[in-house]
Amino acid sequence: MVLPFPILISSMMLASSAENTAGNKAEAARIVSLERALGRAMIARDTEALSRIVGDDWLCQGASGISTKKSFIDDVAAGKLVVRRFTLHDVHVRVMGNVAYLMAADDEESAYAGTDNSGTYNWLDVWQKQGGRWVSVATQITKVRASR
């Protein structure tokens, strides 16, 4: 049986859409796994893992301004940034080809330059597939203020 052209095209588009959805779910799961690995690497002060997960041109915007990959990894290596606990939650991922974003929150015990920064943070990470692997290329992070 030969399908009329419009039905054939519609069927192909639906099949392609289903494949993309399944592929996007797998990619989204990979990105969530990388976010968790990033948290573990900060706790372990594993700068090699951080270097693989964070892209060379990565920038992070937070309350203290803009950080680069180098300044972030240097702070972790020197013990200036200390993360003792990192619990990821409220995760939302959207994959759009070779670019994705992950919005999430984390509860953490952390300190920077000896000042306790523990609390809940909301953040957005932008990921890009480079050379067949996902790397974080931008982060925006905001500490959640306690209710008054």
Side-chain angles (χ1 to χ4, degrees):
M1 175 174 135
V2 177
L3 293 175
F5 187 71
I7 293 174
L8 178 63
I9 294 300
S10 296
S11 299
M12 290 171 60
M13 289 174 62
L14 285 173
S16 175
S17 176
E19 287 174 27
N20 288 337
T21 300
N24 283 349
K25 286 182 181 177
E27 295 291 353
R30 177 71 183 134
I31 291 167
V32 172
S33 175
L34 286 165
E35 288 286 355
R36 293 185 194 289
L38 190 138
R40 289 189 305 272
M42 286 188 296
I43 291 167
R45 294 175 57 187
D46 184 347
T47 57
E48 287 182 27
L50 292 173
S51 288
R52 284 190 307 274
I53 297 168
V54 175
D56 290 338
D57 56 352
W58 177 84
L59 293 173
C60 178
Q61 178 179 343
S64 59
I66 303 287
S67 301
T68 64
K69 175 181 181 173
K70 181 180 179 349
S71 64
F72 168 60
I73 291 176
D74 287 351
D75 286 352
V76 171
K80 189 172 185 179
L81 172 61
V82 176
V83 178
R84 293 177 296 281
R85 182 177 59 85
F86 180 91
T87 306
L88 193 61
H89 58 91
D90 298 317
V91 178
H92 305 278
V93 182
R94 181 160 184 214
V95 178
M96 300 162 288
N98 286 335
V99 176
Y101 69 80
L102 183 141
M103 291 176 30
D106 78 276
D107 297 318
E108 65 183 62
E109 291 177 21
S110 62
Y112 186 78
T115 301
D116 183 56
N117 283 331
S118 299
T120 299
Y121 288 83
N122 289 332
W123 40 269
L124 172 78
D125 272 351
V126 178
W127 291 83
Q128 183 180 34
K129 203 165 204 181
Q130 299 177 355
R133 66 184 186 89
W134 289 101
V135 294
S136 178
V137 295
T139 300
Q140 193 287 321
I141 187 164
T142 304
K143 188 171 186 180
V144 177
R145 295 183 189 260
S147 299
R148 295 178 190 193

